[in-house]
Amino acid sequence: MSEVQRRGFLTRLTAYEPLTLITLASIAGGLFLLQRLTSEVLEGETFRFDEAILLALRRPGELGVPIGPSWLTHAVDDITSLGGITVLSLMTVLVTVYLLLDRRWPIAIFVFSSVLTGWLASTLLKILVARPRPDIVPHLVEVSDLSFPSGHAMVSAVTYLTLGALLARTQRYRSTRIFVMAAGVFLAVIIGLSRIYLGVHYPTDVFAGWCAGALWALGCWLISKRFVPSRAPDDVAEAEKR
């Protein structure tokens, strides 16, 4: 290898900072975990685990009644609606419009396309696995589609984590970036837990949804970090003048 080739190789290698390498390793590990979980679900190896958790969340002898006070069921029902298509669509559109008005055109388009393709990926996974809804306990809300992975868990993770990761890139202060990301993670977690409490998903459905959604958000963040500018064109031009 010549000196010029060696320098070019080192330049390309150092262009990927440690955070990027950690992200790539996390994506690889997440893909392996998702593949193993899907395989175990298809083989029926996770049924006892799923059954034990769903039964533990209901009163013995009254499987139609969840544990906890009556107000908790209403609260969980409200929380689960945060992962519904209506709320997530409104959230995505409002954030996209905000970014467009703020003249952050590239990241606005990337946000919208990232969330939309994530929803399509969730639907495709459901069709491929074709796992029926659990019938271990009565459902506390009406559902009709397939079960694996949890659409609410995956789509909410895709939406909130992707929005959090991309919006965090537009924030000036580290504290606000951490808050935005933490808020996205918190919403994705409580929405997924609500689906288990309501009896409409196996716990492994939710785990798979979280895993797939987080992988999608990580991938979108990595792509945006390399190719999508986070600042408005006017800000870039002003920075170049200084």
Side-chain angles (χ1 to χ4, degrees):
M1 181 182 293
S2 67
E3 183 65 24
V4 175
Q5 290 175 326
R6 187 179 296 107
R7 289 180 179 178
F9 174 76
L10 291 175
T11 300
R12 289 193 297 271
L13 183 62
T14 54
Y16 292 92
E17 60 272 21
L19 182 58
T20 300
L21 295 177
I22 292 172
T23 303
L24 288 172
S26 299
I27 291 175
L31 286 172
F32 175 77
L33 177 61
L34 181 61
Q35 185 274 329
R36 291 300 304 162
L37 182 57
T38 304
S39 176
E40 293 294 314
V41 166
L42 290 174
E43 294 173 3
E45 298 294 331
T46 63
F47 182 77
R48 289 183 180 274
F49 169 77
D50 289 325
E51 181 183 43
I53 293 180
L54 288 176
L55 291 177
L57 294 174
R58 298 301 171 95
R59 293 181 183 175
E62 295 181 287
L63 296 183
V65 182
I67 60 174
S70 58
W71 60 263
L72 181 60
T73 304
H74 295 289
V76 171
D77 192 30
D78 291 337
I79 289 171
T80 205
S81 65
L82 296 175
I85 295 298
T86 301
V87 173
L88 294 178
S89 298
L90 285 172
M91 181 73 66
T92 303
V93 170
L94 289 174
V95 170
T96 302
V97 171
Y98 164 76
L99 291 171
L100 289 173
L101 294 175
D102 201 36
R103 297 187 180 182
R104 302 179 189 270
W105 304 77
I107 199 168
I109 296 172
F110 190 79
V111 164
F112 186 81
S113 59
S114 298
V115 173
L116 179 61
T117 52
W119 292 357
L120 295 176
S122 174
T123 302
L124 179 61
L125 281 173
K126 279 181 175 288
I127 295 173
L128 290 176
V129 178
R131 188 187 199 185
R133 294 278 181 168
D135 56 2
I136 299 171
V137 296
H139 300 165
L140 300 184
V141 292
E142 185 177 350
V143 291
S144 58
D145 59 344
L146 297 170
S147 190
F148 185 97
S150 166
H152 273 65
M154 180 174 175
V155 175
S156 64
V158 166
T159 304
Y160 291 122
L161 295 184
T162 299
L163 291 179
L166 298 181
L167 284 179
R169 295 187 58 225
T170 68
Q171 303 304 306
R172 178 181 304 177
Y173 302 106
R174 173 176 291 185
S175 58
T176 55
R177 292 196 295 269
I178 293 174
F179 174 78
V180 169
M181 280 305 305
V185 172
F186 175 72
L187 288 172
V189 168
I190 62 173
I191 290 169
L193 293 177
S194 73
R195 305 305 284 175
I196 301 174
Y197 184 85
L198 295 172
V200 296
H201 273 297
Y202 296 104
T204 46
D205 296 338
V206 173
F207 297 155
W210 283 337
C211 185
L215 283 172
W216 197 269
L218 272 176
C220 291
W221 175 83
L222 189 61
I223 293 172
S224 71
K225 191 173 185 296
R226 301 295 301 178
F227 303 108
V228 181
S230 61
R231 292 189 294 177
D234 292 345
D235 295 339
V236 175
E238 184 177 348
E240 290 176 350
K241 292 179 182 178
R242 295 177 180 177

